[in-house]
Amino acid sequence: MSGMITAHFSWEEAACHDGSPVPMGLRPNAMALALVLERIRGRLGHALVPVSWYRPPRYNARVGGAKGSQHMQGWAADVRPADLRDLQGLILEVESMIHRGDLPELGGWGIYPTWVHIDLRERPTSGHIAFWRGPGVGSEQA
């Protein structure tokens, strides 16, 4: 699958590392997530690099992803700034946007040593946004 989802994110970036494209039925999820990532990118003021986005269930299991990972639905992406020295700035910007109410679609996010996980899972009725810190793939909350 080629082409752009938004001005700065492509279908190639959203595809799985095993070469699996985002299935047609999950493309609306990836599109919604790309719009959120664009908003974060705009506030940050520089590029975001997707580390992992869509994962088919078999690939997700192979890399040790959570059994209910939002990546399998195209709802999640792990992203990092182009320059890893800006990772703390990305974290602070996401926190700030959450506190200002600028990410109403956000359902979960996690901080890792070299990336930030962003997902659009459905929030519980309490409005709670899932948050965690993890050492690597598989530490995310399903």
Side-chain angles (χ1 to χ4, degrees):
M1 191 175 309
S2 62
M4 301 299 290
I5 307 172
T6 60
H8 299 102
F9 297 102
S10 70
W11 287 110
E12 185 177 354
E13 290 174 307
C16 184
H17 293 293
D18 72 359
S20 301
V22 179
M24 291 303 283
L26 299 180
R27 287 183 81 183
N29 299 357
M31 289 176 182
L33 180 57
L35 291 172
V36 170
L37 295 176
E38 284 285 358
R39 202 170 325 132
I40 294 168
R41 183 189 190 281
R43 288 286 176 87
L44 194 58
H46 52 78
L48 288 179
V49 178
V51 176
S52 178
W53 197 318
Y54 171 66
R55 294 186 207 145
R58 186 176 300 168
Y59 184 84
N60 187 66
R62 190 167 77 214
V63 299
K67 286 185 179 190
S69 175
Q70 300 297 312
H71 288 277
M72 295 186 296
Q73 299 302 316
W75 281 128
D78 299 329
V79 295
R80 65 172 180 79
D83 183 339
L84 276 177
R85 292 176 292 187
D86 295 327
L87 182 64
Q88 190 60 33
L90 170 59
I91 293 165
L92 293 173
E93 191 56 52
V94 171
E95 287 177 333
S96 176
M97 291 177 79
I98 290 168
H99 291 292
R100 286 193 312 260
D102 293 340
L103 295 173
E105 310 89 341
L106 188 73
W109 75 296
I111 298 172
Y112 293 85
T114 58
W115 74 82
V116 173
H117 171 98
I118 302 291
D119 76 53
L120 304 186
R121 74 182 69 201
E122 188 174 333
R123 290 186 192 180
T125 54
S126 69
H128 173 76
I129 296 172
F131 172 76
W132 63 94
R133 291 181 184 269
V137 174
S139 351
E140 67 264 26
Q141 294 183 358

